[in-house]
Amino acid sequence: MNKIRICLDAGHVGSRYNQSPVVKTYYESAAMWSLHLKLKTALEALGFEVVTTRASIDTKMDVYDRGAASKGCDVFLSLHSNACGTESVDYPVVYRAYDGLNGSDVLAGKLAARIGAEMGTAQAGRTAIRKNSAGNEYYGVLRGARAVGTPQYLLVEHSFHTNARAAQWLLSDIHLAGLALAEAEVLAEHYGLSAVPEGKTAILGTVQATAQQMALFCRSRNAAPRLPACSVEELAQMFLEEGAAEGVRGDVAWAQSLKETGFFRYGGIVLPEQNNYAGIGALNGNAQGQAASFPDPRTGARAQIQHLKAYACTERLANACVDPRFPLVTRGCAPYVEWLGAADNPQGKGWAFPGQGYGESIVKLLEQILAQETPQSPAPSLEPEALAGFPAWQRDGLAALQAAGVIDSPDYWAAKFSEGVTVGELFGILGKMAGRA
Ligand SMILES: [Zn+2]
């Protein structure tokens, strides 16, 4: 299949064209030059072919010719920020074909909405048309693109640099990088391509592992996880629930926890009773216990999920924030697991510092979790009625111990579910687990 070709045009020539009257360090030409390069990188990572109109920020080129340079491309995008006399005006507007050629309003509308959400503009994004007196496109770039038959041509105004908030926002290189990823995602979705680059694992999205796989894989590496307030099975379930609440992959977070806690062996700065499963606030050089503590396992899982969401996107939290370090994160700087280590992140930001290979090692654990085989039924050899009255976490516990080879006679133990256990029996089980640890 031929690649979708996109032509990108950075709005104006030079590094100091169209200064913001309210944020004096902002120049439209410089910001849009930077944005179009980032967008090129993001689009190419998703499998698009990208050409740009001008070779350097100072290269002069007539606007009509820039549009015409998109000949043979599927899409032409000219990138701008807008200006007007009213400071409070703050919304993105995407100019599209005046006659709705090739359904141009659809892509334009998606881009406008997404840019508005990404930039957090005061008013919602919208599309617009503008004709000249001859009834053709008003903007020369769009006239040129139309003349050479480019099916989709859009002029994208990234809100108004006459608005202080918007201009300030656009001054941040990290914001522009996030904006580029968001726009690339919209285009990928529109053209039916995957919105995640090849070789990258999105932090947001639908889980692929089950709680059982997550727990069993953990127990296969450490038969006695040091979780003072819940079972490993319960905690795995909490990760899935908390992840679903925020749109974060709970299985990704779990893989991160296994790495951070050494399969819940601990032994570093964080203590097991802190319910802190990913070293939140445990900075290099801290003494033991000098890290965030959470009142219970669910809050600990929630904080980690929220912290991941802070890195993965700019969307607001669904639940009240329990992550003490949430405000310190540069929102959206690491949408992929592979970018969680600062050394591996194009923005140089990340959960782990320097963190080279940090994300990669989490992905490896995730793959092993997904490869974890689970018994067809949690406890195939048990009498169902013997256990029917007992909570799932107890029954799952027996199944997990059986699967881990700690318990050899599940029927015997199933019949004793409501009974006390002797010291001898307890030591027998613990001794087996210690032998495997
Ligand atoms: Zn402009």
Side-chain angles (χ1 to χ4, degrees):
M1 195 185 87
N2 283 337
K3 286 187 171 182
I4 307 287
R5 291 189 77 188
I6 299 187
C7 178
L8 297 179
D9 174 52
H12 305 275
V13 178
S15 52
R16 292 184 158 233
Y17 187 85
N18 274 357
Q19 182 183 37
S20 161
V22 284
V23 180
K24 299 289 186 189
T25 45
Y26 179 84
Y27 293 90
E28 179 187 351
S29 59
M32 293 305 119
W33 181 262
S34 173
L35 177 62
H36 101 301
L37 293 181
K38 289 175 166 61
L39 182 54
K40 180 177 193 286
T41 305
L43 286 167
E44 285 171 345
L46 297 182
F48 288 98
E49 190 178 326
V50 181
V51 294
T52 56
T53 52
R54 295 184 297 118
S56 86
I57 194 166
D58 293 318
T59 307
K60 292 199 174 80
M61 191 173 184
D62 180 77
V63 283
Y64 181 91
D65 292 342
R66 296 197 226 164
S70 67
K71 189 174 168 60
C73 290
D74 300 278
V75 186
F76 173 76
L77 296 178
S78 186
L79 307 185
H80 297 258
S81 58
N82 215 338
C84 71
T86 311
E87 207 277 343
S88 60
V89 172
D90 178 21
Y91 60 81
V93 54
V94 179
Y95 287 94
R96 41 93 178 178
Y98 63 83
D99 56 355
L101 182 70
N102 299 318
S104 62
D105 202 35
V106 178
L107 179 57
K110 288 182 197 170
L111 275 171
R114 185 65 187 269
I115 293 167
E118 189 69 20
M119 290 183 68
T121 54
Q123 298 100 34
R126 58 204 71 181
T127 73
I129 58 169
R130 198 165 173 189
K131 281 201 273 191
N132 61 17
S133 54
N136 199 343
E137 297 292 355
Y138 169 84
Y139 292 107
V141 275
L142 301 188
R143 231 169 26 248
R146 186 180 180 99
V148 297
T150 302
Q152 297 284 342
Y153 56 87
L154 304 169
L155 189 149
V156 185
E157 298 278 11
H158 297 84
S159 193
F160 289 73
H161 56 252
T162 41
N163 175 272
R165 190 214 64 84
Q168 202 66 53
W169 194 93
L170 288 168
L171 264 183
S172 155
D173 224 35
I174 289 181
H175 287 164
L176 294 185
L179 193 55
L181 288 176
E183 292 178 15
E185 239 177 74
V186 169
L187 285 155
E189 188 268 304
H190 186 79
Y191 286 98
L193 302 177
S194 165
V196 179
E198 206 167 327
K200 297 282 181 285
T201 314
I203 292 171
L204 303 182
T206 317
V207 291
Q208 292 176 22
T210 63
Q212 200 187 3
Q213 279 179 308
M214 287 154 61
L216 280 177
F217 174 64
C218 175
R219 287 194 187 278
S220 77
R221 295 297 197 87
N222 178 14
R226 292 173 70 192
L227 293 169
C230 66
S231 71
V232 74
E233 287 73 19
E234 287 174 306
L235 189 62
Q237 186 58 39
M238 287 179 211
F239 268 66
L240 294 187
E241 289 165 6
E242 293 299 324
E246 297 289 355
V248 171
R249 281 188 63 178
D251 49 0
V252 164
W254 185 256
Q256 181 186 33
S257 286
L258 296 183
K259 176 177 172 58
E260 289 275 352
T261 63
F263 299 89
F264 303 107
R265 283 190 184 87
Y266 294 93
I269 294 166
V270 178
L271 303 166
E273 47 278 5
Q274 289 180 281
N275 301 312
N276 180 347
Y277 307 116
I280 292 176
L283 307 178
N284 296 341
N286 278 14
Q288 210 173 50
Q290 252 195 318
S293 287
F294 301 102
D296 50 60
R298 183 169 292 278
T299 310
R302 182 169 297 181
Q304 184 184 341
I305 292 287
Q306 293 180 341
H307 206 60
L308 278 170
K309 186 169 182 175
Y311 278 97
C313 69
T314 55
E315 269 172 56
R316 35 159 84 213
L317 292 174
N319 283 318
C321 185
V322 296
D323 167 22
R325 297 184 64 83
F326 191 88
L328 303 176
V329 177
T330 301
R331 295 296 315 270
C333 69
Y336 316 121
V337 182
E338 288 82 355
W339 287 8
L340 282 174
D344 303 321
N345 187 316
Q347 303 303 320
K349 306 258 172 183
W351 183 303
F353 205 88
Q356 187 163 22
Y358 177 80
E360 206 60 65
S361 61
I362 292 172
V363 170
K364 286 222 171 68
L365 287 169
L366 180 65
E367 284 165 0
Q368 289 172 282
I369 291 169
L370 292 170
Q372 174 68 47
E373 290 186 14
T374 53
Q376 289 300 76
S377 127
S381 61
L382 298 180
E383 300 282 345
E385 52 272 31
L387 289 180
F390 293 94
W393 66 272
Q394 293 182 9
R395 288 184 275 126
D396 291 351
L398 177 60
L401 287 174
Q402 189 190 351
V406 174
I407 290 228
D408 302 320
S409 45
D411 293 340
Y412 168 78
W413 289 105
K416 293 172 69 108
F417 245 50
S418 61
E419 294 179 27
V421 68
T422 68
V423 171
E425 288 167 332
L426 180 65
F427 279 20
I429 294 168
L430 291 178
K432 263 194 172 180
M433 291 175 76
R436 301 179 63 84

